[in-house]
Amino acid sequence: MTEDEKDLKDEQARVASVQETIEKKREKTAGLIQGLREKVIDLRKNFWEDVTVNLDEADDVNETQASLKQQAELLGERERTHQQIHNEVKTLDRLQRNPYFGRIDFREEGADHDEEIYVGLASLMDEKEEDFLIYDWRAPISSMYYDFSPGGASYETIEGKIQGDMTLKRQFIIRNGKLEALFDTGVTIGDSLLQYVLGGNASTEMKSIVATIQKEQNQIIRNESAANLIVQGAAGSGKTSAALQRVAYLLYHYRDRITAENIVLLSPNPLFNSYVSNVLPELGEDNMKQATFYAHMDAQLEGRETIETPFEQMEYMLLASGEEKEQRLAGIQYKASLDFKRYIDDKLEEFKQAGLIFKDVSFRKQRIVSKQEIQSHFYSLSNSLPLSNRAELTAAWIVEKLQLWGEWETRKDWVREEVELMEKEDYVQAFSELQKKDRTDTDDFEENKQEEEILRKWVVERKLRPLIKKVRKHAFINVKKSYLRMLTAERRPEMPASWTDLYETTKKNLIRKYMNWEDVTPFVYFRDKVLGDRSDKTIRYVLIDEAQDYSAFQFAYLQQAFPNARMTLLGDINQAIQAHALTGENVLSGNTADSHRIELWRSYRSTRQIVDFTKELLDHAKQIQPFNRDGELPTLTKANGETERRRLVLEKIRSLQESGYETIAVIAKTSKESKEAHNWIKEEMEADLITETTSQYKKGLSVIPAYLAKGIEFDAVILYDVSDEAYGHESERTLLYTACTRAMHELHMYSVGNLSPFIEAADSATYTSK
Ligand SMILES: Nc1ncnc2c1ncn2[C@@H]1O[C@H](COP(=O)(O)OP(=O)(O)OP(=O)(O)O)[C@@H](O)[C@H]1O
């Protein structure tokens, strides 16, 4: 038997023995679960029997309350334990299928023997609960598996650094409890395993990379110190993967302090949400909160305004031309900048002295408190108080006035009319209220009068309630008008030349309750400063994927919206596709004192040939390195007219399908173009059209605009139009790069007429031209 065969045999024996332990533990735990389940059901059933209920005297009531509390606590505790054990069983099931994926042998300095450390999805002790059979991949000791190759190695613990020597590093492929292969690895972690993993087909759901996390990705996952962790990484370098593993790491590391509810992932589109939704459950963790930035902002506006989506804005920019487009672009860029935020902050400071616009508070078309009165009261309050505090105090003052006025109003005729229309139940209730009063000297007439008074009071109270609620939400401040006033309060040199026209557009939009995307963040920022803090203090970590598409202003807003959160920003400046991203300010530059910046240059998604070609599309991309996985060169086919192009594209799709590729995408520049392409493709074969609202993508053929393909990947990608009309402008370079880098194994491009200058400029040895 060779050395290798012996290793395989020994490891097979260990897998079998660990599985036996798992099985025994599972049986024991399942027994516990059954017992607990019965206890919980029993407790729920007999809840009231075990509670002493006596409400006769005050003391008895207290005793009853205490007894109730005790019983509820007992039930809660049992339910929690039940849940915990249930989770343990689920973990054991996962371990049963795949107990571990790595092993390192480590001799700590001063020790006389190697310790064998097996790394898997969760920790497992032996039956005596003495030794670890498996270490959780997130345990401090497991970090060596990712950070070192055999030789000197170390890891951090709370007590300090542990140093020693790694004598072996081994990786396993275990499927359904069966050891299929093992690799002893050298310099980097598991090239062979990574080759094996990356060679597979793309999936409609993102996979966990836990067995093959790379050293630089591990730094992202385990970073605990940076307030802002910034990751600039090439397309396919594992940013999203690392972000999700990071969430799992944080949930493990801070398990006593945070849960999935305290973490938010901001993602580029709903499709992406579903694409990544399986990773954490696969790792045995709950999913963090997930939202698109658009959905977050829409929720902030509580559906009161219709807002343009970032994709609509993008579509406009891609399709529009001429002066109107240039004007809007200038507006978008200025409104995305920290200059504009500073301008708003300055104006808010001035509004502390004067300038906010108020609304009359009226009831039944009658003005109760005029806007002038409100303004005088508001500005009579100390200007050392923030605007929002003064709004609070003014609200209390208005409510008092409303209540006083309400008492007078009860005498009005309309109230009597309303009383007559009241429900029978109201009369019964008013009568019973009267009964509670001392009525020794009342006659029938008096009683009727008193009853009517109660009912009149109720009529007014009920009608006033919604108004008071609005006042308490500071609706007496005219935020929109104040915002518009703020926009024109001063003319600054950095403002676009067409500022007045831009202002008119914003005004027209606000009047019809519509907001362009570039106005949303500044407006909400301004509103929150005026009306009061609406921040979410429960969130401890915010991860922003595709962060290059956030403006400096949007990022500043998010820091304020989640004041207790550490931020992780992951993005690729070469994939910046939002119009505001063309300006200098870039959230990924991360040059603040509390930022830690990591760069990822190795691309894992695509074959070496695709990466070599796609980096040619960029200006400064020398550092991007492909992972060593070979495939065919990308192809470029120039067709003689539209009919031929369509025929060639359809032929290619068929041949890709025959090769067994499961996910194939035809990527178009805009949503309009993808609709058109879908129309002619679907006449010949089944194809899904992906739109902004698509929340899940299926295997098979998808037709998709480039900006919605962000973050996801396909086995094969077809760009059916790479002419200079589609990708001719400098601002379209990143879109072309984004589209091409979605391909894992094959990339095919087609054009009619002049070719995109970006492809024209690429080294022709990096693709095949037909
Ligand atoms: N360490 C790794 N082990 C295995 N697969 C990996 C690893 N890192 C990345 N990958 C794979 O590479 C592909 C790209 O990863 P991911 O989507 O996380 O990259 P990204 O940087 O977010 O890309 P993009 O910016 O293009 O959206 C995925 O299929 C992912 O599973």
Side-chain angles (χ1 to χ4, degrees):
M1 193 188 286
T2 65
E3 193 76 6
D4 285 353
E5 283 166 348
K6 185 177 174 310
D7 282 345
L8 189 67
K9 199 162 164 265
D10 289 349
E11 294 290 5
Q12 253 159 359
R14 188 180 191 271
V15 171
S17 136
V18 168
Q19 282 201 307
E20 219 172 282
T21 310
I22 296 174
E23 187 53 44
K24 282 190 193 143
K25 287 203 164 198
R26 202 194 176 287
E27 267 170 32
K28 212 161 116 191
T29 323
L32 276 179
I33 245 188
Q34 189 51 29
L36 255 172
R37 220 173 94 92
E38 277 158 19
K39 275 195 189 130
V40 169
I41 294 173
D42 206 41
L43 253 175
R44 280 201 199 128
K45 256 203 244 156
N46 303 324
F47 189 94
W48 289 106
E49 279 158 34
D50 297 334
V51 177
T52 351
V53 182
N54 185 353
L55 302 172
D56 292 347
E57 301 291 331
D59 277 358
D60 298 331
V61 171
N62 284 347
E63 201 178 306
T64 303
Q65 267 174 355
S67 162
L68 254 174
K69 192 162 166 256
Q70 197 181 9
Q71 188 73 351
E73 272 168 6
L74 188 65
L75 180 61
E77 192 186 295
R78 290 268 159 84
E79 281 178 334
R80 268 194 302 281
T81 320
H82 180 259
Q83 186 59 42
Q84 242 165 24
I85 298 185
H86 187 71
N87 289 346
E88 261 169 50
V89 171
K90 281 211 293 208
T91 305
L92 288 169
D93 284 344
R94 245 191 313 272
L95 290 180
Q96 188 93 10
R97 289 190 294 274
N98 186 359
Y100 41 79
F101 46 78
R103 163 182 167 186
I104 46 178
D105 291 1
F106 180 65
R107 182 174 298 207
E108 200 178 317
E109 244 168 32
D112 58 2
H113 68 283
D114 286 358
E115 196 187 339
E116 290 172 7
I117 296 148
Y118 283 83
V119 183
L121 280 187
S123 295
L124 181 79
M125 305 286 280
D126 63 9
E127 275 182 86
K128 292 191 204 133
E129 305 292 329
E130 281 171 358
D131 290 315
F132 278 100
L133 295 178
I134 308 169
Y135 282 91
D136 191 298
W137 63 280
R138 297 161 291 187
I141 201 166
S142 307
S143 66
M144 288 192 292
Y145 170 73
Y146 303 110
D147 289 343
F148 294 95
S149 34
S154 63
Y155 65 99
E156 297 287 344
T157 66
I158 310 171
E159 284 89 35
K161 196 183 234 181
I162 309 280
Q163 278 180 315
D165 205 27
M166 186 193 288
T167 51
L168 175 86
K169 180 155 161 180
R170 182 167 281 173
Q171 294 186 301
F172 307 99
I173 298 178
I174 302 177
R175 284 238 190 86
N176 293 324
K178 200 174 161 314
L179 176 59
E180 290 188 354
L182 67 80
F183 311 100
D184 281 351
T185 57
V187 189
T188 52
I189 139 166
D191 264 14
S192 338
L193 185 61
L194 202 47
Q195 283 280 5
Y196 174 87
V197 175
L198 297 173
N201 271 347
S203 156
T204 53
E205 280 169 357
M206 184 165 226
K207 287 173 265 185
S208 138
I209 58 161
V210 67
T212 49
I213 293 167
Q214 303 296 293
K215 187 174 174 175
E216 62 279 13
Q217 295 172 333
N218 200 31
Q219 282 178 29
I220 300 167
I221 296 166
R222 290 178 189 247
N223 184 293
E224 286 160 31
S225 57
N228 296 319
L229 178 64
I230 295 177
V231 182
Q232 155 60 46
S237 57
K239 297 180 291 294
T240 308
S241 309
L244 294 166
Q245 306 294 139
R246 174 164 169 74
V247 172
Y249 176 78
L250 294 170
L251 287 173
Y252 171 85
H253 198 75
Y254 298 110
R255 56 192 174 281
D256 301 334
R257 279 181 268 165
I258 60 169
T259 69
E261 286 292 299
N262 306 117
I263 305 180
V264 175
L265 172 70
L266 291 175
S267 45
N269 56 54
L271 189 63
F272 180 91
N273 279 353
S274 83
Y275 177 62
V276 302
S277 62
N278 229 20
V279 177
L280 281 152
E282 219 179 87
L283 293 169
E285 298 290 354
D286 290 334
N287 257 324
M288 68 266 127
K289 290 182 171 180
Q290 255 194 89
T292 60
F293 184 50
Y294 169 81
H296 173 82
M297 296 313 273
D298 195 35
Q300 293 301 306
L301 288 167
E302 294 166 350
R304 286 206 200 97
E305 325 286 319
T306 307
I307 59 180
E308 181 189 43
T309 68
F311 303 118
E312 283 163 351
Q313 187 200 62
M314 165 121 215
E315 191 84 2
Y316 170 87
M317 292 310 291
L318 290 172
L319 295 173
S321 58
E323 202 186 329
E324 195 187 298
K325 175 181 171 176
E326 291 311 313
Q327 260 193 15
R328 176 140 187 224
L329 179 63
I332 291 175
Q333 292 182 342
Y334 178 62
K335 286 176 179 174
S337 69
L338 290 180
D339 271 346
F340 187 44
K341 180 175 170 286
R342 264 187 296 273
Y343 174 80
I344 298 181
D345 287 336
D346 290 349
K347 295 301 123 190
L348 284 165
E349 207 46 45
E350 288 171 23
F351 279 179
K352 280 189 173 176
Q353 313 301 326
L356 274 189
I357 302 177
F358 298 88
K359 289 186 204 163
D360 290 336
V361 173
S362 305
F363 181 69
R364 290 174 54 83
K365 300 207 175 109
Q366 190 188 336
R367 195 168 57 197
I368 317 297
V369 196
S370 75
K371 51 186 164 197
Q372 290 80 6
E373 283 175 283
I374 298 177
Q375 180 176 320
S376 318
H377 184 84
F378 186 94
Y379 282 113
S380 71
L381 296 166
S382 160
N383 58 18
S384 66
L385 289 172
L387 292 172
S388 54
N389 286 20
R390 280 192 267 169
E392 194 98 19
L393 293 169
T394 308
W397 172 77
I398 299 174
V399 168
E400 212 173 286
K401 276 186 167 279
L402 284 176
Q403 279 161 345
L404 208 64
W405 175 87
E407 281 170 29
W408 284 97
E409 191 71 4
T410 50
R411 298 175 198 167
K412 299 269 174 69
D413 283 349
W414 72 266
V415 182
R416 203 197 59 234
E417 282 159 24
E418 290 273 335
V419 165
E420 280 163 13
L421 295 174
M422 281 175 99
E423 302 285 333
K424 198 171 144 211
E425 288 83 52
D426 291 316
Y427 279 87
V428 173
Q429 211 185 333
F431 181 71
S432 91
E433 291 252 316
L434 265 183
Q435 301 298 306
K436 288 186 207 151
K437 292 191 179 159
D438 178 15
R439 298 161 48 246
T440 39
D441 59 349
T442 49
D443 53 25
D444 276 356
F445 174 74
E446 190 63 23
E447 191 170 283
N448 280 346
K449 227 174 96 191
Q450 284 183 7
E451 189 180 83
E452 192 183 320
E453 265 169 31
I454 291 178
L455 290 167
R456 277 172 178 265
K457 202 171 112 209
W458 285 354
V459 165
V460 177
E461 269 174 14
R462 281 178 202 173
K463 294 265 174 194
L464 266 181
R465 210 170 290 149
L467 180 62
I468 289 182
K469 212 165 145 197
K470 275 167 105 183
V471 169
R472 291 215 164 102
K473 285 187 163 177
H474 308 166
F476 52 89
I477 300 180
N478 195 331
V479 180
K480 279 190 194 172
K481 276 198 178 164
S482 304
Y483 180 74
L484 288 169
R485 172 177 280 180
M486 182 276 302
L487 288 181
T488 50
E490 191 193 328
R491 191 84 176 88
R492 291 202 172 165
E494 66 269 18
M495 286 173 169
S498 54
W499 188 241
T500 318
D501 294 339
L502 290 166
Y503 164 81
E504 287 302 330
T505 312
T506 305
K507 184 173 165 188
K508 231 185 292 162
N509 283 338
L510 282 181
I511 290 170
R512 61 183 181 110
K513 292 179 177 276
Y514 180 81
M515 248 183 245
N516 275 340
W517 178 237
E518 63 268 28
D519 279 311
V520 174
T521 306
F523 179 82
V524 172
Y525 175 81
F526 175 85
R527 183 204 62 185
D528 291 355
K529 288 280 184 199
V530 173
L531 298 189
D533 184 11
R534 292 164 67 108
S535 63
D536 186 341
K537 300 192 178 63
T538 64
I539 300 299
R540 309 305 305 277
Y541 287 89
V542 175
L543 294 98
I544 308 179
D545 205 357
E546 305 288 343
Q548 73 279 354
D549 285 329
Y550 288 72
S551 70
F553 195 153
Q554 287 170 341
F555 181 56
Y557 163 78
L558 283 171
Q559 283 181 309
Q560 186 179 289
F562 301 105
N564 294 335
R566 285 171 181 255
M567 301 277 177
T568 306
L569 282 80
L570 309 111
D572 177 10
I573 196 62
N574 289 317
Q575 295 181 64
I577 56 171
Q578 290 299 141
H580 56 68
L582 301 169
T583 46
E585 280 168 344
N586 159 13
V587 293
L588 292 172
S589 65
N591 44 15
T592 55
D594 52 0
S595 299
H596 179 71
R597 193 165 183 275
I598 295 176
E599 293 183 353
L600 299 177
W601 292 109
R602 190 176 289 278
S603 180
Y604 298 97
R605 171 180 301 128
S606 317
T607 59
R608 185 162 55 80
Q609 286 70 16
I610 295 175
V611 174
D612 283 343
F613 167 72
T614 51
K615 68 191 260 200
E616 287 286 313
L617 300 174
L618 301 174
D619 256 351
H620 310 284
K622 296 279 172 292
Q623 283 156 292
I624 300 175
Q625 299 153 20
F627 174 73
N628 199 11
R629 185 169 68 83
D630 276 322
E632 297 294 320
L633 283 179
T635 67
L636 169 69
T637 309
K638 292 182 186 166
N640 290 317
E642 187 55 29
T643 318
E644 191 187 48
R645 170 177 32 202
R646 290 186 186 185
R647 181 177 59 75
L648 290 169
V649 167
L650 291 169
E651 251 173 45
K652 178 53 77 185
I653 299 174
R654 284 195 188 98
S655 93
L656 289 169
Q657 285 169 334
E658 275 158 25
S659 317
Y661 289 126
E662 292 177 342
T663 58
I664 301 169
V666 173
I667 303 186
K669 189 175 85 168
T670 60
S671 129
K672 184 168 168 275
E673 284 159 24
S674 47
K675 248 180 240 150
E676 284 160 11
H678 182 246
N679 276 340
W680 56 260
I681 294 173
K682 75 171 193 260
E683 276 175 22
E684 299 294 324
M685 56 183 67
E686 223 174 279
D688 281 321
L689 175 67
I690 311 280
T691 67
E692 217 183 300
T693 51
T694 309
S695 60
Q696 204 150 18
Y697 91 101
K698 299 197 283 278
K699 281 191 176 163
L701 177 63
S702 306
V703 186
I704 181 168
Y707 53 81
L708 286 182
K710 296 207 88 171
I712 53 180
E713 60 196 21
F714 304 89
D715 289 326
V717 165
I718 291 175
L719 267 69
Y720 79 93
D721 181 10
V722 290
S723 66
D724 68 343
E725 253 176 67
Y727 302 101
H729 198 272
E730 184 55 36
S731 62
E732 287 153 349
R733 184 196 285 275
T734 50
L735 203 57
L736 177 63
Y737 174 74
T738 306
C740 291
T741 51
R742 300 306 96 200
M744 285 183 78
H745 308 298
E746 292 199 27
L747 171 65
H748 303 283
M749 296 163 289
Y750 295 82
S751 80
V752 175
N754 290 339
L755 192 61
S756 159
F758 310 120
I759 301 181
E760 203 77 78
D763 179 352
S764 58
T766 58
Y767 60 92
T768 313
S769 198
K770 292 182 185 169

